[in-house]
Amino acid sequence: AGADWLGGREETPEWNFVWRFLLGHREELPEGIDAAALYRTGAAWLAGREETPQWAFVWQFLLGHRDEWPDGIEARALYRVGADWLAGREETPQWSHVWQFLLEHRDEWPDGIDAAALYRAGADWLGDREKTPQWAFVWQFLLGHREELPEGIDAAALYRTGADWLAGREETPEWNFVWRFLLGHRDEWPEGIDAAALYRTGADWLAGREDTPDWSHVWRFLLEHRDEWPEGIEAGALYRTGADWLAGREETPEWSFVWQFLLEHHAEWPPGIDAAALYRTGADWLAGREETPQWSYVWQFLLEHRDEWPDGIDAAALYRAGADWLGGREDTPDWSFVWQFLLEHRDELPEEIDAEALYPAGADWIRANRNQPQSPILAEKLLMAANPEAAWADELAGYLADWLTTHANQPIAGKMLHVMLKSGIAAGSEQPPPVPSPGWRQLANALRELTTAPRAFITDHAVGDIVTGKIAARAKKGYLVHLDDAGRVAAFLPGSKLGLTRPTDWDAPVGRRYDLEIIKIDPESLSIVVSRRAILERERRAAGDDPIAALDKGQVIEGTIANIRDFGLFVDIGGINGLLHRSRLADPPRGDLARSYSRGQRIRVRVIEVDAERNWISLAQHLGEAERQAREEAKQRLLDSFRVGQVLDGIIVNIVDYGLFVDLGGMDGLLHRSKLNDPSAGDLRRRFRTGAQIRVAIIKVNRARERIGLAEHPPTNTSG
């Protein structure tokens, strides 16, 4: 009916929606509906309808599916039509979409389309269109392709324009994209943009916008970049804000992301946030929200962190919930992730969950989703877990053999190959297939062919050899490197081994060639690990330029505080950072270190440990005898000034189960919970906040042990 409806209704505004829907579901079309004819109809529809609002959507859909076209549609002609369409239509809402699509596919263009002219058209388009919703996307695209910009387009000016654009547009939906993009590219800024001001602007933006869809993105970005903050932004306050934000927003799509981010960073929390309560909240959240897209993420995160749970969360019940969730949700995007997690944790499943039933369910899903990116991964895991003689196993082995042969140069194929070899499912060319059937024989032959080149390479090389490799793609915590032109010999390059420091732009090395040193070979799994850093360090030592090598244990040096974290200070000592743990401070304060120290502050430190291999330096604060004596005298003067009965306003710097530690102006006193005005209060972290002021009375001074006892001072009675 839909295909028939199209005929004669080309001028109807809805024509393009029906046409796109049909082609978007072309695999479900019955006999008699010709997808090839639909593509030709769409291409013909474009001619003469350039002023139609739907023109750009049909044009872009066609080019986005060019791999499925029948003969007779020419991509080059369509690209020219799109480039011509732009002229004079700058006020059309779809202009930016056509412009961006063209530039994203410039490798497919025919001769005659000028990329430089298109970039200039985009830069010119920005002028006087700051209020257009698409402004931010064109601006961001230009800067995202700044290396391709022709002369006459000044990236520095674009960055300044973006920074100026933010002012007064805080309520614009695109505000957070521009703000985040700017701060994410601060290393490329020209002079005149103040990063500190931008971070403060983001922190201020959060207040009062808790119900804005982008609130969680700005909040999370700030905390992910806390090492770059200026003074005046308190991480503890932001974490508390996030914890408070959760209450009452359980139906918000972003709820699960804020909840998960908080628990992933619980080591950085200030006192007053209860991890146990957050875990219980997550477990309670699952009930009744099985249709929520985020359900599987919360469920999996909980089970991955079960060692941190408080009493009252039942792992068996959660596993049952996951197994029940699978039923009837095979078309849900997350089905395969829940199934895979259950398969990988089958030894932990309660008795009433039949792990054997998971196998055919997974095989059925793979059969119905052969072209999904996760299907070959699931097939590999399923073949390793199940009986190779299962009815569906031979078909799955043949599918996996086809996929590995076709995608041999992809990073995931190499990883799967190593896993299968190490597990013994196909331990190389010496062993026959587990079952003498067509699919298993095909998989064994594929593995034999794919392992020939890496086996020969490993035979001819050893740890310490220098080889040349091309970085083919990013991988988890590093890169996939091809050591041969065919891409059959792959190695792993850890991110920490790429250079003398970790990469800041992880995508920049992709496609480049480097000399690399082999640092590990595993003949069993055919895995090879390489390092570029090892070569660079030798070159630096040979040139006499190794700052770490110049350091000795016990050496005293003056440095600059480069970063402040809850666990200590990172101190710059001549271009390299060392960790001064809070336990190694001369007078470790309780609570937030940022209250006692600031970035840029000079501090004398002593070298405790030097690990050149890890590029790691451990420090301790060093006090000269004169400074030590001066500090001791100042502490004694302050201690001598305290008197029992004295009433002071202090600052809460730490909260523990048994009471509060209060800063009295340079020395802490203990306010035991029994000395609170309401000693029966429950969780002190819910009632009090670090950084808050509190009025106390001194009830004990122990000068020998330098201890001060406090009691909460009763509030002043202002009645009559």
Side-chain angles (χ1 to χ4, degrees), residues 34-250:
D34 185 2
L38 283 177
Y39 278 119
R40 291 191 191 98
T41 299
W45 181 92
L46 292 173
R49 292 187 174 87
E50 290 81 0
E51 305 306 323
T52 306
Q54 296 83 12
W55 188 92
F57 299 108
V58 174
W59 174 84
Q60 188 168 336
F61 184 92
L62 277 169
L63 284 166
H65 294 77
R66 57 176 296 186
D67 295 338
E68 302 156 15
W69 288 356
D71 294 336
I73 304 178
E74 187 185 350
R76 292 175 178 272
L78 274 185
Y79 279 119
R80 285 195 196 96
V81 168
D84 294 341
W85 182 91
L86 291 173
R89 292 188 175 88
E90 290 80 2
E91 305 307 323
T92 306
Q94 294 82 17
W95 188 92
S96 64
H97 300 290
V98 174
W99 173 83
Q100 180 171 334
F101 186 91
L102 278 168
L103 285 166
E104 285 176 340
H105 295 79
R106 58 181 296 184
D107 295 339
E108 304 168 15
W109 289 355
D111 295 335
I113 302 179
D114 185 358
L118 272 186
Y119 278 120
R120 289 191 193 98
D124 293 341
W125 183 92
L126 291 176
D128 299 325
R129 289 189 177 88
E130 291 84 357
K131 295 182 181 179
T132 306
Q134 295 83 11
W135 188 93
F137 300 103
V138 173
W139 172 85
Q140 183 171 332
F141 185 88
L142 284 168
L143 283 170
H145 294 75
R146 56 201 169 278
E147 295 179 358
E148 304 168 15
L149 297 180
E151 293 184 10
I153 302 180
D154 184 3
L158 283 177
Y159 278 119
R160 291 191 192 97
T161 300
D164 293 341
W165 182 91
L166 290 173
R169 291 189 174 87
E170 291 80 1
E171 307 308 321
T172 306
E174 298 81 20
W175 187 91
N176 103 87
F177 294 106
V178 174
W179 177 82
R180 283 190 291 159
F181 185 90
L182 277 169
L183 285 167
H185 294 77
R186 58 179 295 186
D187 294 339
E188 301 157 13
W189 288 356
E191 294 182 3
I193 302 179
D194 184 359
L198 276 184
Y199 278 118
R200 290 191 191 98
T201 298
D204 293 340
W205 183 91
L206 292 174
R209 292 187 177 89
E210 290 80 1
D211 293 315
T212 305
D214 300 323
W215 188 92
S216 63
H217 300 292
V218 174
W219 173 83
R220 178 170 179 167
F221 185 93
L222 280 168
L223 284 167
E224 287 176 338
H225 294 78
R226 56 180 296 186
D227 295 344
E228 304 166 12
W229 288 355
E231 294 181 12
I233 304 179
E234 186 190 348
L238 272 184
Y239 279 119
R240 287 191 202 97
T241 299
D244 293 341
W245 182 90
L246 292 174
R249 292 187 175 87
E250 291 80 1

Side-chain angles (χ1 to χ4, degrees), residues 251-401:
E251 307 308 321
T252 306
E254 296 81 18
W255 187 92
S256 64
F257 300 107
V258 174
W259 173 83
Q260 182 172 333
F261 186 88
L262 280 168
L263 285 168
E264 285 175 340
H265 295 79
H266 70 272
E268 303 170 13
W269 288 355
I273 303 179
D274 186 358
L278 273 185
Y279 277 116
R280 290 191 192 98
T281 299
D284 294 340
W285 182 90
L286 291 173
R289 292 188 175 88
E290 290 80 1
E291 305 307 322
T292 305
Q294 297 82 16
W295 190 91
S296 64
Y297 297 102
V298 174
W299 174 83
Q300 183 168 332
F301 183 89
L302 279 168
L303 285 166
E304 286 176 340
H305 294 78
R306 57 182 296 184
D307 294 340
E308 303 166 17
W309 288 356
D311 294 337
I313 302 180
D314 184 359
L318 275 184
Y319 278 121
R320 286 187 211 101
D324 293 341
W325 184 90
L326 291 176
R329 291 189 175 88
E330 289 79 3
D331 294 330
T332 305
D334 300 328
W335 190 93
S336 62
F337 299 106
V338 174
W339 176 86
Q340 180 178 334
F341 187 89
L342 289 170
L343 180 72
E344 291 175 345
H345 295 78
R346 56 191 176 276
D347 294 338
E348 303 170 17
L349 299 180
E351 291 182 1
E352 57 269 33
I353 298 180
D354 182 7
E356 295 293 329
L358 288 174
Y359 302 152
D364 289 343
W365 188 91
I366 295 168
R367 187 180 295 111
N369 297 271
R370 295 173 65 90
N371 296 324
Q372 293 294 327
Q374 64 268 39
S375 293
I377 302 171
L378 300 186
E380 171 246 319
K381 292 182 180 297
L382 190 49
L383 287 172
M384 288 198 299
N387 184 345
E389 297 182 359
W392 43 263
D394 189 65
E395 177 189 353
L396 217 57
Y399 157 75
L400 190 57

Side-chain angles (χ1 to χ4, degrees), residues 676-699:
L676 292 168
N677 291 332
D678 181 11
S680 63
D683 187 352
L684 297 182
R685 295 177 180 85
R686 292 183 177 274
R687 180 177 167 189
F688 297 96
R689 296 283 177 93
T690 57
Q693 188 178 71
I694 187 170
R695 178 157 289 191
V696 294
I698 296 176
I699 59 174

